Amino acid sequence: MMRPILFAVVALAFAGAAQAATTQTLDKNDRKFLDEAATGNLAEVQMGALAQQRASSPDIKQFGERMITDHTKVNDQVKSLAQQKGVTLPTQVTSDEQKEIEKLTGLTGPAFDKEYINRMVKMHEKDVSNFKSRSTKAKDPDVKNLANQVLPTLQQHLDLAKSLQGQLKST
């Protein structure tokens, strides 16, 4: 009669060990990538909300709305993968990202538009570079797959941000 209970206890022990092994074996660069993706997405969502409130250009407001939609979706994917891998992600932006958000909070109108879109170009250049790198160098196949899935969206964001940046410079 004790065997089913003993089997269940042993099975639970193996399951726990397997999860611990997954957490411990996730490459430090893959883990760092997930952390940075999570905080970056949070920052871009917060900045997108500011764009909707403070921008004077309808195109910048629309871009901000897209940042909220797309980066919320990407963050959900990142969180799901992290949970699957037993990784706890940061739930707040980094101190540098917070400083950028605070800087934007103090601006409105055309000054906001210019600073926001310059920041979006910079952030998306970094995003595209990081995701491109992980799409080929990630040790974990799921991290590599996530990077490959998200990369086209980030490239679209970068292209659109650069286009908007060019429009602002010509006005």
Side-chain angles (χ1 to χ4, degrees), residues 127-171:
D127 290 345
V128 166
S129 175
N130 287 343
F131 276 73
K132 217 177 250 185
S133 175
R134 286 293 99 196
S135 73
T136 59
K137 295 179 182 174
K139 302 275 191 270
D140 186 280
D142 296 325
V143 172
K144 189 179 280 192
N145 186 41
L146 173 73
N148 276 307
Q149 284 180 345
V150 174
L151 188 55
T153 300
L154 296 175
Q155 187 63 59
Q156 288 173 358
H157 292 173
L158 177 58
D159 294 344
L160 183 54
K162 284 182 174 181
S163 173
L164 289 168
Q165 188 181 49
Q167 288 174 22
L168 289 176
K169 285 181 180 175
S170 66
T171 57

Side-chain angles (χ1 to χ4, degrees), residues 71-141:
H71 284 282
T72 297
K73 181 181 174 189
V74 170
N75 209 37
D76 289 344
Q77 291 174 279
V78 171
K79 283 195 272 187
S80 176
L81 179 58
Q83 184 178 20
Q84 189 182 347
K85 300 296 176 182
V87 172
T88 302
L89 294 175
T91 57
Q92 296 182 358
V93 298
T94 66
S95 59
D96 287 344
E97 291 163 338
Q98 186 59 44
K99 286 175 189 167
E100 292 294 330
I101 291 167
E102 288 169 8
K103 184 177 181 181
L104 288 173
T105 302
L107 301 172
T108 57
F112 175 90
D113 294 355
K114 182 180 177 193
E115 186 63 35
Y116 171 71
I117 209 62
N118 288 342
R119 187 72 200 129
M120 287 296 98
V121 167
K122 224 172 165 178
M123 288 180 84
H124 283 91
E125 285 174 341
K126 181 181 175 193
D127 290 345
V128 166
S129 175
N130 287 343
F131 276 73
K132 217 177 250 185
S133 175
R134 286 293 99 196
S135 73
T136 59
K137 295 179 182 174
K139 302 275 191 270
D140 186 280

Side-chain angles (χ1 to χ4, degrees), residues 1-34:
M1 224 27 165
M2 285 294 261
R3 285 195 182 169
I5 293 172
L6 181 60
F7 178 74
V9 169
V10 170
L12 285 172
F14 277 120
Q19 173 142 2
T22 299
T23 301
Q24 293 168 354
T25 59
L26 191 61
D27 179 70
K28 71 177 181 169
N29 291 320
D30 289 354
R31 179 184 290 260
K32 181 181 176 193
F33 169 74
L34 292 177

